Amino acid sequence: MSELFASDINSGNIKTVGLATGSTPLDFYKYVREAQPDCKAITTVNLDEYVGLAADHDQSYSYFMHEHLFNDVAFAKHFLPDGLAKDSAAECARYDEVLAENPIDWQLLGIGGNGHIGFNEPGASFEGTTQRVQLTEETLAANARFFDSIEEVPTEAYSMGIGSILNSKKIVLLAFGEEKAAAIKAMIEGPMTNEVPATALQNHPNVTVFLDEAAASLLTK
Ligand code: F6R
């Protein structure tokens, strides 16, 4: 995975990388911090941000990215949705413009136990653009581990839509642990359905998936 990133970055063909937060990419970001590939010409766009958290809040995704990557590796520019935007529709339109101006060459994804990608929860349209979304109970419970209590987890987020994710030239999805096994099985072996947002990736021509044994444990093919 890390070698793939290094060789893709060194190819010089990548101008914009799409990034994810959460536990899954932590080792990958550690590798990038240590390997220090030349990212000075690369722009980053993140998948999502919690509604209501300022960029400098220690649970915001902006803070997460600075903490785990941006403070240590120089990039050209960073974009994330603004959790404090006053006008949600304008913020979604702004982020769609960011994505139109910075087409994603290489998109990193994790996956939710319910099959969400970004914060596109079950039922999300495969054509969706940036949206303000309601997080499901399952996602709130999963993300509560980062907060003092579940009540503190923001219930809404801005998220790139599935349509925007599918516009990426290349997608690299990581999943670790048995709590991801059912979602991974559905993503790879199940029918395409909005009920499992990650099944939208079946339609994408360039997806690479890295799994540990536990996440792959329900695969039969
Ligand atoms: C994060 C994101 C989410 C996570 C997913 C898995 O930016 O978009 O889709 O990738 O919730 O989270 P972890 O890695 O914490 O299991």
Side-chain angles (χ1 to χ4, degrees):
M1 153 71 193
S2 302
E3 289 79 20
L4 175 73
F5 181 73
S7 74
D8 284 351
I9 289 289
N10 291 335
S11 73
N13 296 328
I14 296 185
K15 282 206 182 99
T16 302
V17 294
L19 297 176
T21 55
S23 304
T24 306
L26 286 176
D27 282 348
F28 170 62
Y29 291 150
K30 180 165 183 272
Y31 155 79
V32 180
R33 289 197 308 271
E34 287 169 2
Q36 290 285 324
D38 183 0
C39 296
K40 284 195 256 339
I42 291 176
T43 293
T44 69
V45 289
N46 262 79
L47 283 166
D48 36 28
E49 178 60 282
Y50 285 123
V51 168
L53 298 192
D56 61 358
H57 187 288
D58 64 3
Q59 293 300 344
S60 77
Y61 285 166
S62 173
Y63 188 95
F64 175 103
M65 290 308 306
H66 283 84
E67 196 69 5
H68 293 286
L69 191 62
F70 301 160
N71 289 345
D72 297 293
V73 180
F75 287 87
K77 267 185 272 177
H78 304 299
F79 293 102
L80 284 104
D82 174 4
L84 291 188
K86 292 214 166 57
D87 179 340
S88 300
E91 178 57 12
C92 293
R94 179 192 74 85
Y95 212 62
D96 283 339
E97 235 166 77
V98 165
L99 296 172
E101 281 163 17
N102 300 277
I104 298 171
D105 299 300
W106 203 98
Q107 175 68 55
L108 178 65
L109 291 181
I111 183 170
N114 63 1
H116 73 217
I117 48 175
F119 271 140
N120 297 285
E121 299 282 31
S125 160
F126 287 178
E127 279 90 47
T129 53
T130 306
Q131 280 158 59
R132 179 171 172 159
V133 296
Q134 194 79 37
L135 303 181
T136 60
E137 290 299 324
E138 184 176 350
T139 299
L140 295 176
N143 291 0
R145 68 190 192 280
F146 299 112
F147 292 80
D148 289 337
S149 73
I150 191 166
E151 288 75 35
E152 284 177 34
V153 187
T155 56
E156 291 178 277
Y158 289 108
S159 178
M160 249 188 231
I162 296 178
S164 324
I165 293 172
L166 293 176
N167 280 339
S168 313
K169 283 207 195 95
K170 175 169 183 162
I171 294 176
V172 179
L173 183 141
L174 311 180
F176 309 127
E178 64 178 358
E179 62 282 8
K180 303 295 171 70
I184 289 297
K185 181 180 172 62
M187 174 181 96
I188 295 176
E189 297 182 358
M192 273 179 82
T193 163
N194 296 69
E195 288 315 306
V196 184
T199 60
L201 301 177
Q202 292 175 11
N203 252 357
H204 192 282
N206 191 351
V207 181
T208 305
V209 177
F210 289 90
L211 307 171
D212 65 4
E213 272 186 34
S217 60
L218 296 178
L219 294 174
T220 55
K221 292 181 194 159

